[in-house]
Every structure is written in structure tokens, then in C-alpha cells.
Amino acid sequence: MRPVALLLPLSGERAALGLSMQRAAMLAESDAKLMFALDTAGTATGAAAAAQAALKRGAAMILGPLTSWEASAAATAVAARVPVVAFTNNPAAQASGAYVFGITATQTTTAVLRYARSRGVRSVVVVGDGTAWSNAASEAAVKAQRDLGLDVRAVAVTAGAPLPAIGDAPDAVLVPGSGDAVLSAARALRDSGVQLLGTVQTLDHRPSAIDALDGAWIAAPDPAAFGSFSAEFEARNGGDPGAIAALAYDAAKVARTLRDAGRLSREGLLGTESFAGVTGAVRFRTDGSCSRDLAILVAAPDGYRSVATSRGA
């Protein structure tokens, strides 16, 4: 039986995260003969060398690496001989042949806008802070407006500056992240009666953030599913695994599901209807992207609760 290789930064500045991801993956596949880890050191050169080592050891599939530059280097080194399921959320890695398994800005933005449209929202203003995620969410919202029947406008805010004029009051305001400038805008807009929307990176458990986001609809993985995974991880390893470690757990489950079905291959990856996971059920596409089911959460004083599911964002 051919094994699966897990490419992670087990040395360097992201070593602690890499170790947490390795431990999470081993919850889904504990047999070292069926899954082994290789260190990328968090660099493109290290990722390419690790990918080549994985091929020499007979790997049928590569899970990882973590970043887009590592993923591109690994996929290029592999040259399509085996699938590379990378943990990055940067769609740029698809160009190298890697599958982008991270939760992308497009997935979570589209999911929350689809839900908002189903609830009667017709106009949305996206309030960004200039970060890469915020910019990607704004771009995704603008691209989705025709398909969803929405009118979308985007404005930018900076810390300490007043909220720019947004014209006629929209039905909803999308805040892609949870930076101080965005949360300040969210607090002001919430008090005006506008419906707030958020993405997975809007989730913030600080009391001040929850207060600012009270009543917001947010697209993210189901907290109940993550809670079960987190409890299992803590019982085995101690500590909080974090959301990125959950991706490693889900990827290892994908590989195990395919092995159990005798389909540990690119054909199996693309031909399977859906893979269940802590970060949402996913289906892989031929272009290297994934469709992902996400929960729609509502922010409340006691936290976030799930009220709906957005299918295949």
C-alpha cells in the first residue's frame, strides 16, 4: 500500500504550527507506514526537496505544504505525478498544479452573500482595510454580484480615520476581517440598523469584537464540528489546535477515505462526490480549487451560533 506524505514546516519560524498540524493529521491516520511527515523548513527550496523525497519514498499523494510559495514549489517538483493537496488559501498556487485546500476569501464571501441574498438583501457595501484578505473578499464580492443579483460597492477604512461616505444606505455591510479599523466601522454601522455580514476571518472572540458584531451573519466552519475535533486533539496532545491544524486533520481524512475505497489517486480525489470535514464538506475541482460547505453563524453576546448551511461555496 503506497503511503501519503505530509509536507510541513517542522523547523524555522512556523515549526510550532507545523508540529500542531502534524499531530492533528495523526489523529486521522496514526499509522506511520501509511503517512509520514517531511520538513519544508517553511521555504520554497525546502518544499521542493521534501516533495522530491516524498516521490522517492513512493508517496501516492502529498498533503501540504502550508504556504502558497511552498505549494507552488512542491507541485512544480512533483510535475503532476501525484496530487498535491496544499493547505494554502491563496488561489495563485493552482497555477502550479496544486489543489488549494485552505478556506479562501472567495468561498466564505460567496457563502455569506448567497445567504444574505436569500434573506432579501439586495445592496451590499464591503468595508475593507487594505489587507490581502480584505482585498480578495472585495474582489470576490464584486465578481459575485451579477450571479447573485446584488449591487456591491467597496470602501476602505484606516485606523483612526472616520468612516468614508458610503452613499445611499445599503441593505447590508460586509466586514471581511476583524482589524480595529473594520470593527470600529462595524460598530458604527450596526448602530445605524444596517445588517452586518462577515467572513471566516471576521470571527473574533474578544468581548469588544463580539459586541461590535452583534447580530452579524458570518460564513465559517461549523463551531460544533470544530469543537469536537478540538476536544479530541486536546485529549491526545494538550493545548488548542487552531483552525489551520483542522485543515491537516481534514486532509488526512480525505487521504484515508480514498485509501479505504482503493482510490488513492487524482482520479479518486476528483471523482468523489464530497469529503466530510471539520472545516466543511469539500469537493475538488479539476482547476485546483475546492467547493466547500460552510455554516452561517450569527454573532450574539454569548458567542456564535449556527443558523444555516451554505452549500458548495
Side-chain angles (χ1 to χ4, degrees):
M1 223 181 299
R2 294 175 66 191
V4 169
L6 189 62
L7 272 56
L8 295 170
L10 300 176
S11 62
E13 63 180 18
R14 292 186 174 89
L17 174 58
L19 179 59
S20 179
M21 295 176 74
Q22 180 183 11
R23 289 172 172 168
M26 297 306 289
L27 290 178
E29 180 54 87
S30 59
D31 190 337
K33 294 180 181 178
L34 299 180
M35 187 172 66
F36 59 87
L38 295 170
D39 182 19
T40 68
T43 68
T45 300
Q52 291 167 347
L55 291 179
K56 289 180 180 178
R57 292 180 62 172
M61 181 176 290
I62 290 174
L63 307 181
L66 176 60
T67 63
S68 59
W69 57 88
E70 292 173 274
S72 295
T76 299
V78 165
R81 281 170 284 185
V82 299
V84 176
V85 178
F87 301 125
T88 177
N89 63 10
N90 188 340
Q94 294 171 214
S96 65
Y99 293 93
V100 173
F101 192 59
I103 300 174
T104 69
T106 295
Q107 288 171 344
T108 185
T109 300
T110 303
V112 75
L113 289 179
R114 184 183 295 156
Y115 177 75
R117 184 67 189 87
S118 75
R119 297 293 301 272
V121 168
R122 292 183 177 275
S123 58
V124 177
V125 168
V126 184
V127 177
D129 58 5
T131 62
W133 178 273
S134 174
N135 292 340
S138 294
E139 182 179 347
V142 170
K143 286 184 177 179
Q145 63 179 332
R146 179 177 297 179
D147 289 341
L148 297 179
L150 289 169
D151 173 50
V152 175
R153 291 170 285 155
V155 299
V157 294
T158 55
L163 180 67
I166 61 175
D168 295 337
D171 296 330
V173 169
L174 171 63
V175 287
S178 62
D180 289 340
V182 170
L183 287 179
S184 177
R187 190 175 291 106
L189 290 163
R190 181 206 62 192
D191 292 342
S192 71
V194 173
Q195 175 63 50
L196 295 180
L197 311 175
T199 73
V200 64
Q201 293 213 5
T202 310
L203 285 178
D204 191 325
H205 292 276
R206 293 176 300 169
S208 60
I210 292 177
D211 175 68
L213 296 168
D214 189 25
W217 300 334
I218 300 171
D222 189 335
F226 181 82
S228 297
F229 156 70
S230 182
E232 183 182 3
F233 183 97
E234 185 174 5
R236 177 80 65 86
N237 304 295
D240 180 3
I244 297 178
L247 289 172
Y249 176 81
D250 282 353
K253 285 187 66 177
V254 166
R256 183 169 182 173
T257 297
L258 291 173
R259 177 183 287 113
D260 290 346
R263 305 184 71 196
L264 189 55
S265 63
R266 190 180 309 277
E267 291 72 25
L269 194 70
L270 295 174
T272 301
E273 180 66 26
S274 181
F275 297 94
V278 172
T279 57
V282 298
R283 181 171 183 175
F284 292 85
R285 299 188 180 109
T286 56
D287 65 357
S289 66
C290 291
S291 66
R292 186 184 298 273
D293 293 354
L294 292 169
I296 301 299
L297 312 180
V298 173
D302 58 346
Y304 302 93
R305 60 185 177 87
S306 177
V307 295
T309 299
S310 181
R311 304 288 182 189

